[in-house]
Amino acid sequence: MTTTRFAPSPTGWLHIGNLRAALFNYAIARGQGGRFILRIDDTDPERSKDEYVQGIKDDLTWLGITWDRIEHQSARMDQYLAAKQRLIEMGRLYECFETPTELDLKRKKQLNMGKPPVYDRAAFGLSDEEKNRLRAERGSHWRFLLDHARIEWTDGIIGDISIDAASVSDPVLFKNDGQILYTLASVVDDVEMGITDIVRGSDHVTNTATQIQIIQALGGAVPRFAHHSLLTGPQGEALSKRLGTLALRDLRARGIAPQAVLSLMARLGSSYPVELRANIDEVVAGFDLSKFGSAPTKFDAADLLPLTARHLATLDHDAVAETLRAAGVPDDLAPAFWGVVRDNIDTLSDVADWWALFRDGPKPLVADEDRDFVAEAFAMLPPLPYGPETWGAWTTAVKEATGRKGKGLFMPLRKAVTGRERGPEMADVMPLLQVRPKL
């Protein structure tokens, strides 16, 4: 059975970049009737927070992404330690004693000599006596001994990949303080949970190469890997500097519809056009991993606004009744109000502004040359309440009295009545006004 996973670290809020991995893995699993596992990578006790775990669940639920089970890596330490012992016994895990400063000096020396900064395996040849002496002086970390052969696989997005293991440092699997690193924990979980497919960012390609050897050393089946492109900003700039403003919870607070996020992210970077989807099931049905490319992909949060607006325009009153009520719209006016404004809002947060306009009246938008004309027109406006015929009857009377017509008649009155240059049909606006327009 196809089994995928999303393994976020609960050290911050989920952002738009994280979502690509979650969505792609989810779509593969659901599209093939398989399983999707939410795996919380909380092996770092200092930085992992319960509030971030809950935030991950809330964000995925908001998008309609469900999981068949949830795992916490912090509860699986015994499995990782057992794998450590197996690798030591195989001679594939060795103890190292260099400090971060010493390793940095080694890297700089290699670079100055024009060599790649690959770990020299100095610790691999230490005698037991030398190891005992070093243990008494300092802490140690553990590295996986790579087999210096080519590591090859056919990537689901990039295509055929071949990496010479001799060009890569033996990866550290356990830190000096005993912390188990992602590289090993992920492999152990993928093997034991039967993960068949993994989609993640292209910055993991080298990491994937080393993990393939670890999987093989532990006797596991190598999953199918695919590495999606990394997101950049609209001008090609690094998106990492802006991720603090692109957390999913912040997009939700801004009124961005989950359908907009799903529709954009399910097609961004592919050869397919972005099309508005009503829900996660429609996204899954139209997902095709083979249509994605490896080139950096530009992301602009502004693209979420028109998609959100298009989604909102499809909703009936019942779908937004609670939002309207929270904005103060009376229940008896809510259906008519929504029918008038739904084609004129970018997000649901705009609802409150439109209701304030109808309830309290706007700040009139009147050009100096139109002030006398608007004053004369307002004097001709009948008393409340207004009906759908009010706008037509009023503008006809104003036209006859002033001689104005066309845009010179209608635009100044629209701007004066609504404080805006564009919006719904004025015949629909007038019946919703709760106060008489005034200058």
Side-chain angles (χ1 to χ4, degrees), residues 174-368:
F174 293 84
K175 293 175 66 175
N176 284 355
D177 59 5
Q179 182 184 338
I180 301 163
L181 293 181
Y182 163 85
T183 307
L184 178 69
S186 180
V187 163
V188 172
D189 290 345
D190 290 340
V191 170
E192 295 186 2
M193 296 176 189
I195 302 301
T196 61
D197 295 79
I198 298 172
V199 186
R200 54 189 178 186
S202 58
D203 53 336
H204 281 283
V205 168
T206 300
N207 188 41
T208 293
T210 59
Q211 286 187 325
I212 286 175
Q213 282 206 6
I214 301 172
I215 291 170
Q216 293 168 333
L218 292 174
V222 177
R224 291 178 288 269
F225 284 98
H227 294 81
H228 62 69
S229 59
L230 299 182
L231 296 180
T232 71
Q235 307 305 318
E237 71 274 22
L239 195 66
S240 57
K241 296 179 181 178
R242 301 176 57 227
L243 287 179
T245 63
L246 294 175
L248 296 182
R249 69 197 300 265
D250 293 333
L251 295 177
R252 183 164 73 247
R254 287 170 50 193
I256 298 298
Q259 292 81 0
V261 176
L262 291 170
S263 300
L264 181 62
M265 300 312 294
R267 292 290 178 86
L268 194 65
S270 78
S271 58
Y272 281 151
V274 175
E275 297 176 342
L276 181 64
R277 301 299 186 184
N279 52 52
I280 187 68
D281 293 335
E282 288 188 8
V283 168
V284 170
F287 184 81
D288 185 348
L289 188 68
S290 69
K291 299 300 181 181
F292 286 83
S294 58
T297 300
K298 293 181 180 180
F299 170 80
D300 190 343
D303 292 337
L304 294 170
L305 289 173
L307 286 168
T308 295
R310 285 170 53 196
H311 168 69
L312 294 177
T314 68
L315 301 181
D316 59 23
H317 163 257
D318 290 343
V320 296
E322 288 304 316
T323 298
L324 302 185
R325 191 171 293 121
V329 183
D331 289 345
D332 60 326
L333 292 178
F337 170 82
W338 179 244
V340 169
V341 304
R342 69 178 179 179
D343 290 323
N344 293 274
I345 58 175
D346 290 326
T347 71
L348 283 178
S349 59
D350 296 335
V351 164
D353 290 338
W354 274 106
W355 176 241
L357 185 157
F358 293 137
R359 182 192 62 214
D360 305 326
K363 179 180 180 181
L365 188 62
V366 182
D368 290 341

Side-chain angles (χ1 to χ4, degrees), residues 413-426:
L413 295 182
R414 168 185 285 279
K415 290 162 61 177
V417 171
T418 67
R420 306 184 182 208
E421 294 186 357
R422 60 184 60 88
E425 292 292 331
M426 291 302 295

Side-chain angles (χ1 to χ4, degrees), residues 87 90-96 117-121 124 142-153 163-173 183-184 187 205-218:
L87 292 173
M90 287 183 220
R92 298 299 296 274
L93 196 66
Y94 62 99
E95 195 172 11
C96 303
V118 176
Y119 178 62
D120 60 9
R121 292 183 168 175
F124 185 65
W142 293 80
R143 290 180 183 267
F144 178 75
L145 183 67
L146 288 170
D147 176 11
H148 281 175
R150 298 205 74 83
I151 304 169
E152 300 179 335
W153 75 94
I163 294 178
D164 183 0
S167 67
V168 182
S169 291
D170 290 340
V172 176
L173 302 189
T183 307
L184 178 69
V187 163
V205 168
T206 300
N207 188 41
T208 293
T210 59
Q211 286 187 325
I212 286 175
Q213 282 206 6
I214 301 172
I215 291 170
Q216 293 168 333
L218 292 174

